[in-house]
Amino acid sequence: MEIVFASRHESNPLEWVNALQQALPEHRVRLWDEGGSGRADAAVVWAPPAELFVREPGLTHLFNLGAGVDALLRMPDLPDGITLVRVEDGGMAVQMAEYVLHYLIRESRDLGRYAGLQAQARWQPLDDIDRDAWPVGVMGGGVMGARVAQACAALDYPVAVWSRSGRPVAGTRAFSQDRLADFLAGTRVLVNVLPLTDDTRGILSRAVFEQLRPDAYLINIARGDHLVEADLLACLDSGRLRGAVLDVFSREPLPSDHPFWTDARIQVTPHVAGASLMSLTVRQIAGKVRAVVRGESITGVVDRARQY
Ligand code: NDP
Ligand code: OXD
């Protein structure tokens, strides 16, 4: 196979090319260049240039370096026949779990307040934690959502998971798509790990926030377009939400004049909740390339109709 690596976001794409080439010595791996060779059979991509599909008409497989394929599916020249494969974990799930636990614990144990008390040299223990007062609701029970949910459940928080099918996640309560209202009614900390699709765009809206338990908290680590920004601000103003942590935004990088940067109720991080780690991701893609060559089926193939 000839495999081309094409990413507009990688600062050192040659590192990826070398790692892929080492993992697949029997194949040819090369870096995308403007001209293209016209011979590539597969591409490993993250935000590839639009010309990729014009210059490489023989592509049969597209291996996305991330879990989310929403941006790829929006590319107008994406050929219909190409098989789109996403990374299944690649080291992100444990990072997503860490990220959520960090903010969940900070809120539920009020740890942020100790910095203020220290500044005043005040020795003042705050209230003990009541975990039942902090039920967590995870939207999305896939590779990321299940790991996040299980990590929270392992620390004895009550956890519910909402997914299209209502697939079970050990140690948590599962809710199917049609039970959104019941799921929200029992949730105080809402964690979004859904893929961005026509069904889920704008789901983090006032209508959803108003169904949560009082004094609710939002953690969005999926995609910025899941969130209706004006609704978040309105619900923070009304006190319906106590705060939010946002890792993803409709426009990335978040413009420097965006109000989220200076809003004390909102914690902003620059799309870092779960990074694809090179060694794990390369190993996974290499395994799938070999399976394809052997004519075997592979997992992680995107269902174009469902958009994930
Ligand atoms: P998966 O495909 O493994 O899981 C998707 C989950 O969402 C499934 O449980 C699916 O239900 C559920 N779902 C999809 N559509 C709906 C819907 N309309 N209603 C209810 N549930 C729905 O994806 P991953 O867990 O691997 O990744 C999820 C997303 O996380 C990615 O698409 C990406 O946007 C984001 N991400 C962000 C990162 C970051 O750094 N911020 C890093 C990695 C991922 P079912 O199980 O029934 O199919
Ligand atoms: C992903 C991401 O989708 O990092 O993998 O956002």
Side-chain angles (χ1 to χ4, degrees):
M1 259 200 188
E2 180 164 314
I3 301 164
V4 61
F5 180 90
S7 164
R8 285 179 293 128
H9 284 185
E10 274 318 318
S11 52
N12 195 350
L14 272 177
E15 257 187 82
W16 281 93
V17 172
N18 293 338
L20 283 160
Q21 186 64 81
Q22 256 184 18
L24 289 163
E26 69 277 34
H27 298 287
R28 174 159 187 252
V29 184
R30 63 178 179 79
L31 182 61
W32 159 260
D33 64 60
E34 301 271 298
S37 74
R39 290 188 303 270
D41 308 288
V44 176
V45 300
W46 182 246
E51 309 84 67
L52 173 69
F53 306 115
V54 180
R55 304 258 191 261
E56 299 293 358
L59 293 175
T60 61
H61 287 76
L62 207 54
F63 294 92
N64 191 40
L65 283 182
V69 290
D70 45 290
L72 269 185
L73 291 174
R74 279 198 302 272
M75 291 185 73
D77 293 327
L78 182 70
D80 285 339
I82 206 161
T83 302
L84 197 52
V85 187
R86 65 192 202 88
V87 167
E88 298 166 282
D89 198 346
M92 297 106 113
V94 67
Q95 298 169 59
M96 303 282 261
E98 275 168 359
Y99 183 101
V100 169
L101 281 179
H102 173 87
Y103 291 103
L104 170 64
I105 293 169
R106 201 184 67 162
E107 286 303 302
S108 64
R109 295 207 48 191
D110 229 354
L111 293 177
R113 280 180 60 199
Y114 286 108
L117 292 169
Q118 178 176 351
Q120 300 165 47
R122 280 177 64 192
W123 182 273
Q124 186 188 320
L126 299 172
D127 290 345
D128 292 339
I129 185 174
D130 172 10
R131 281 184 168 65
D132 289 339
W134 292 93
V136 178
V138 181
M139 300 179 107
V143 180
M144 304 297 144
R147 184 75 188 247
V148 165
Q150 282 170 334
C152 299
L155 292 185
D156 295 346
Y157 289 90
V159 182
V161 178
W162 180 70
S163 67
R164 183 197 285 264
S165 57
R167 65 161 84 182
V169 175
T172 75
R173 289 181 68 202
F175 290 82
S176 54
Q177 203 174 24
D178 55 333
R179 296 193 57 215
L180 179 60
D182 295 336
F183 164 82
L184 294 172
T187 293
R188 180 166 177 196
V189 177
L190 183 66
V191 183
N192 177 38
V193 208
L194 288 167
L196 181 65
T197 67
D198 292 343
D199 285 345
T200 65
R201 185 180 308 277
I203 193 166
L204 300 177
S205 63
R206 184 195 288 252
V208 155
F209 299 146
E210 285 181 345
Q211 294 177 67
L212 295 169
R213 290 236 193 143
D215 202 29
Y217 189 73
L218 171 68
I219 302 180
N220 186 18
I221 50 175
R223 286 291 181 265
D225 284 344
H226 284 124
L227 176 67
V228 181
E229 295 188 354
D231 287 8
L232 170 64
L233 292 172
C235 289
L236 287 168
D237 289 344
S238 70
R240 196 66 197 70
L241 291 175
R242 63 189 269 129
V245 53
L246 308 175
D247 183 55
V248 285
F249 304 89
S250 290
R251 264 188 72 194
E252 294 182 3
L254 186 66
S256 57
D257 59 352
H258 196 288
F260 286 172
W261 283 115
T262 49
D263 192 321
R265 303 161 301 183
I266 299 175
Q267 173 86 53
V268 169
T269 57
H271 201 144
V272 292
S276 305
L277 302 181
M278 190 184 288
S279 59
L280 293 173
T281 305
V282 163
R283 195 184 315 151
Q284 188 180 117
I285 292 174
K288 289 183 182 181
V289 166
R290 291 208 176 89
V292 167
V293 170
R294 288 193 302 266
E296 295 166 6
S297 63
I298 52 174
T299 58
V301 173
V302 174
D303 178 332
R304 295 268 192 118
R306 288 193 325 186
Q307 303 171 2
Y308 69 96

